[in-house]
Amino acid sequence: MLGGLVKPEDFELLAGEAALGSYVWGGKVSERFFCRTCGVHCFGRGHLAELGGDFVSVNFNCLDDLEITDLKVMFWDGRHNNWDAGPRNTPWPNSCEARR
């Protein structure tokens, strides 16, 4: 999923709320909302101090009039729990690449 985080006051669901289901994920860190028809994860709401408190995570593939290729992508090394290294413009190597 290609997505991002916004503050709750910057998020507005314009349509389709009746078609959404939800579940709690991550030890009650967030509630995720998905389409009951196709199962696609649309967005989530939660609170995590490390992210600055309350947030909404948005699946960019669910947004109208957004060209995904126009977005600047930042890569974090969550695979190795290397969050302190910060983001960078190229993907972090994974263990398979390191063995080659």
Side-chain angles (χ1 to χ4, degrees), residues 64-82:
D64 293 333
D65 302 323
L66 176 70
E67 183 57 51
I68 298 294
T69 56
D70 291 340
L71 297 175
K72 177 179 168 41
V73 177
M74 293 187 312
F75 297 90
W76 292 78
D77 188 16
R79 175 178 290 206
H80 302 104
N81 200 24
N82 187 22

Side-chain angles (χ1 to χ4, degrees), residues 5-8 29-30 44-48 51 53-57:
L5 300 175
V6 297
K7 291 290 185 185
V29 168
S30 70
R45 290 188 175 123
H47 180 90
L48 195 59
L51 296 177
D54 292 338
F55 67 90
V56 176
S57 61

